[in-house]
């Protein structure tokens, strides 16, 4: 699977409920989403594996990879294309060993100290943020702003995607900071027309 971080959709079960998880993801892909991450902090592994398998099947032929948030066992069992983990979600080396060399593996980074300690050889990309405060994550680190994002991108040895309260009007500033793309939740999942919302990022 080709890794394109341009428009990285992270699903939210509540925000996707109106259209349904699979249809929201497919609409976003039609609008230009280049990566889908399945994220549900409350679902059990069995439920998440079922969701991941349905999403993976729906995305077949689109060229858009499916990434699982946090749950290594779910990523392995569902046959997803990769995994994204946070600073406290397990060791990168163990995740890489379980997933294999072909899988996509990403890590969240909020500070230069964290960045200095990453296992870059086993990772494919970094999620940098939050750029702004966001209601989807109540325990997030201090927002970086675009200046803070730029300093992290400049020090990163890996491709990076910016995350945290980003909307279509932030595309230019995100690229000026050096990130390869934007990761969004509510700017697509919470919209009446997810396809049009995704397309707005490309405009």
């Amino acid at each position: 699977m080709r890794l394109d971080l341009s428009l990285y959709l992270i699903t939210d079960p509540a925000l996707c409920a109106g259209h349904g998880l699979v249809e929201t993801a497919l609409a976003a892909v039609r609008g230009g989403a280049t990566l889908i991450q399945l994220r549900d902090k409350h679902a059990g592994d069995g439920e998440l594996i079922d969701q991941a398998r349905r999403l993976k099947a729906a995305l077949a032929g689109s060229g858009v990879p499916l990434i699982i948030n946090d749950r290594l066992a779910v990523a392995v069992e569902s046959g997803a294309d990769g995994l994204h983990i946070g600073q406290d979600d397990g060791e990168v080396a163990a995740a890489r060993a379980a997933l294999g060399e072909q899988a996509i593996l990403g890590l969240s980074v909020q500070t230069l100290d964290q960045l200095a300690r990453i296992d870059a050889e086993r990772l494919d990309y970094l999620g940098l943020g939050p750029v702004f405060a966001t209601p989807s994550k109540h325990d997030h680190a201090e927002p970086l702003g675009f200046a803070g994002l730029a300093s992290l991108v400049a020090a990163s040895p890996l491709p990076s995607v910016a995350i945290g309260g980003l909307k279509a009007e932030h595309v230019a500033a995100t690229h000026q900071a050096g990130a390869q793309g934007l990761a969004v939740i509510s700017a697509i999942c919470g919209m009446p027309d997810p396809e049009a919302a995704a397309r707005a990022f490309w405009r």
Side-chain angles (χ1 to χ4, degrees), residues 39-62:
R39 179 179 185 264
D40 188 334
K41 296 293 188 180
H42 304 295
D45 280 4
E47 182 184 353
L48 214 54
I49 288 167
D50 179 61
Q51 290 179 3
R53 286 174 174 161
R54 287 191 293 113
L55 256 182
K56 174 80 171 159
L59 291 168
S62 68

Side-chain angles (χ1 to χ4, degrees), residues 15-191:
L15 292 175
C16 290
H19 295 281
L21 174 69
V22 171
E23 183 47 45
T24 299
L26 290 179
V29 168
R30 290 194 298 270
T34 56
L35 202 61
I36 304 291
Q37 182 190 121
L38 177 59
R39 179 179 185 264
D40 188 334
K41 296 293 188 180
H42 304 295
D45 280 4
E47 182 184 353
L48 214 54
I49 288 167
D50 179 61
Q51 290 179 3
R53 286 174 174 161
R54 287 191 293 113
L55 256 182
K56 174 80 171 159
L59 291 168
S62 68
V64 174
L66 174 64
I67 306 294
I68 305 299
N69 178 267
D70 289 355
R71 314 273 190 95
L72 176 58
V74 172
V76 172
E77 284 294 317
S78 67
D81 300 299
L83 178 73
H84 184 91
I85 56 176
Q87 290 290 315
D88 303 316
D89 296 324
E91 292 296 323
V92 168
R96 175 56 73 196
L99 292 165
E101 290 304 314
Q102 299 306 310
I104 297 167
L105 183 55
L107 176 70
S108 295
V109 169
Q110 293 92 29
T111 67
L112 287 168
D113 284 346
Q114 291 173 355
L115 186 59
R117 297 194 300 270
I118 66 165
D119 188 351
E121 290 185 4
R122 292 185 172 93
L123 290 164
D124 296 296
Y125 75 92
L126 300 177
L128 304 181
V131 179
F132 302 117
T134 169
S136 65
K137 194 173 176 66
H138 301 295
D139 58 347
H140 59 68
E142 187 72 20
L144 296 168
F146 287 112
L149 175 65
S151 68
L152 281 180
V153 171
S156 173
L158 293 167
S160 56
V161 61
I163 186 169
L166 296 170
K167 298 179 173 62
E169 60 260 34
H170 299 129
V171 169
T174 300
H175 288 156
Q176 285 166 6
Q180 274 70 44
L182 300 84
V184 302
I185 303 175
S186 61
I188 292 177
C189 283
M191 295 293 111

